[in-house]
Amino acid sequence: MISNQWYAVLDANEVRGRRPVGVTRLGQRLVFWRDGARRVACFREACPHRGAALSQGRVLGGNLQCPFHGFEFAADGHCVCIPANGRSAPVPRAFEAYRLACREAHGFIWVWNGAPSEAAEPIPWFDSIDARFSHATLRDLWPVHYTRAIENQLDVVHLPFVHHNTIGRGQRTLVNGPFVRWEPGAGTARRMNIWVYNSHDEGRPPHRAEELDPGARHPSLQFQFPNIWHNWIGDNIRIVAAFAPIDDENTMLYVRFYQNSVRLPLLRQVFNGLAMPANALILSQDRRVVVRQVPKRTHLRMGEKLIQGDGPIIAYRRERDELIPQSSA
Ligand code: FES
Ligand SMILES: [Fe+2]
């Protein structure tokens, strides 16, 4: 995992109501809950007292209460009450829950993979998706390392094969380029822009990336480190995916259909919902192949025999390998 980055880890709708939610993300058991002001908070799930799962507790007066001995924790992690010591007894700082910096934005919950005191960077996002867009979300658990799930969405070579009867229809097997350009993203997380030029094979070799010029055209695909992706279907229709790392062998995919043509609240909900079966089908076509790839986790120098069309995957691996030491990948 890359340190000091904001990761989209949950859909905001997964933490609603008064019940704390326990999940594994970024290789850790975590608990998410909302305080009295409905702000989302995130702790390591294990209670600092004797390791009970805080997700089995409850929210009481805006604090999270452990199910075992009733210690109460404020959203900043501070333990505010140890019932066995008496409500009036002061609580030493050492009883703090381990807090992770956490924010809610764009309908996702984001966790900072690093010290909370350093979580000053802006949340990464695709600015062309503004408040006029509405969305529907599909959640899909993939038993793969997150690198494989991300690389699948940067892979433009697979389209006519994996998706031969859906988005890859038309036998455009020749992969020109693709053209890749990096740009600054939010904070230190860079954004990869990819322009796709797949075409029919008419007997000539594919154009190299240097021979292509996207001009002012918006990139077909964008990947924003560490874990969000954007597919520009058209000015009014987009697909966004977040790849939430669970552990070394599992990733939760959040795939969203965004549109800004239908804006009436109920109507847009129906419209967005209607797009989901097609997205689910396309995702299931990817999943079938990706879950069987070996090895599970990728690196820049891992011995795969890559081709020109794999350029975006190489670019992703190069950037990621620079951002993290191999040992913690
Ligand atoms: S284990 Fe949580 S209060 Fe004791
Ligand atoms: Fe695909």
Side-chain angles (χ1 to χ4, degrees):
M1 229 73 66
I2 305 167
S3 303
N4 297 326
Q5 304 274 336
W6 285 110
Y7 281 81
V9 294
L10 287 170
D11 189 280
N13 283 328
E14 291 177 282
V15 187
R16 46 151 74 135
R18 294 172 58 81
R19 284 166 57 107
V21 176
V23 289
T24 304
R25 293 288 188 272
L26 313 181
Q28 310 174 58
R29 280 300 297 172
L30 301 173
V31 56
F32 291 84
W33 58 285
R34 289 184 187 274
D35 69 6
R38 305 287 305 147
R39 272 187 310 253
V40 72
C42 174
F43 297 162
R44 280 200 194 143
E45 191 180 46
C47 176
H49 178 218
R50 291 185 50 223
L54 290 169
S55 60
Q56 292 177 330
R58 59 178 179 153
V59 180
L60 192 68
N63 298 320
L64 179 60
Q65 184 187 49
C66 179
F68 209 176
H69 313 101
F71 288 26
E72 291 171 31
F73 302 91
D76 64 0
H78 192 59
C79 183
V80 293
C81 177
I82 298 178
N85 289 350
R87 293 226 154 242
S88 56
V91 180
R93 205 73 206 172
F95 286 89
E96 249 176 306
Y98 186 90
R99 179 178 73 88
L100 283 81
C102 175
R103 294 225 198 119
E104 182 171 353
H106 312 294
F108 283 112
I109 292 173
W110 307 74
V111 161
W112 178 255
N113 188 33
S117 57
E118 281 164 26
E121 288 197 4
I123 300 286
W125 191 243
F126 306 106
D127 294 334
S128 66
I129 302 177
D130 57 28
R132 288 168 300 173
F133 280 83
S134 61
H135 67 267
T137 306
L138 189 75
R139 200 178 74 137
D140 203 20
L141 174 63
W142 284 23
V144 303
H145 189 257
Y146 70 90
T147 48
R148 288 297 193 189
I150 289 171
E151 290 178 8
N152 173 61
Q153 303 296 348
L154 305 177
D155 181 330
V156 301
V157 182
H158 80 284
L159 293 167
F161 302 98
V162 170
H163 305 297
H164 62 94
N165 57 354
T166 54
I167 50 172
R169 241 185 258 120
Q171 283 301 305
R172 287 189 291 277
T173 52
L174 194 76
V175 178
N176 300 294
F179 189 88
V180 172
R181 184 186 289 148
W182 288 95
E183 65 179 4
T188 54
R190 291 213 297 166
R191 180 179 302 148
M192 188 195 320
N193 295 320
I194 305 163
W195 285 264
V196 181
Y197 295 91
N198 292 5
S199 66
H200 291 122
D201 187 346
E202 278 154 5
R204 58 158 184 82
H207 290 298
R208 293 192 312 276
E210 311 82 79
E211 298 170 309
L212 303 167
D213 178 9
R217 182 158 73 94
H218 194 280
S220 336
L221 303 172
Q222 293 182 298
F223 179 73
Q224 164 84 61
F225 267 88
N227 77 330
I228 55 170
W229 172 92
H230 177 205
N231 183 5
W232 183 288
I233 309 285
D235 288 353
N236 302 317
I237 298 183
R238 320 291 176 75
I239 308 289
V240 168
F243 310 87
I246 295 176
D247 54 28
D248 277 352
E249 303 199 338
N250 295 284
T251 303
M252 189 66 84
L253 272 74
Y254 295 92
V255 178
R256 284 188 177 169
F257 170 82
Y258 279 88
Q259 62 81 27
N260 72 2
S261 307
V262 182
R263 299 204 187 147
L264 285 175
L266 270 180
L267 205 56
R268 74 183 181 201
Q269 221 170 313
V270 172
F271 185 81
N272 297 348
L274 287 174
M276 297 324 276
N279 285 301
L281 170 63
I282 293 160
L283 198 61
S284 71
Q285 293 179 323
D286 287 314
R287 191 183 198 279
R288 174 178 169 269
V289 178
V290 178
V291 296
R292 299 288 294 273
Q293 277 183 285
V294 287
K296 288 251 175 206
R297 173 192 296 184
T298 71
H299 294 294
L300 183 58
R301 275 170 256 288
M302 61 184 290
E304 287 187 346
K305 314 288 185 223
L306 304 182
I307 59 173
Q308 176 187 300
D310 294 320
I313 291 169
I314 298 167
Y316 168 73
R317 290 181 182 177
R318 194 167 281 147
E319 178 81 353
R320 180 172 167 273
D321 275 29
E322 264 180 36
L323 290 168
I324 44 178
Q326 289 292 324
S327 56
S328 65

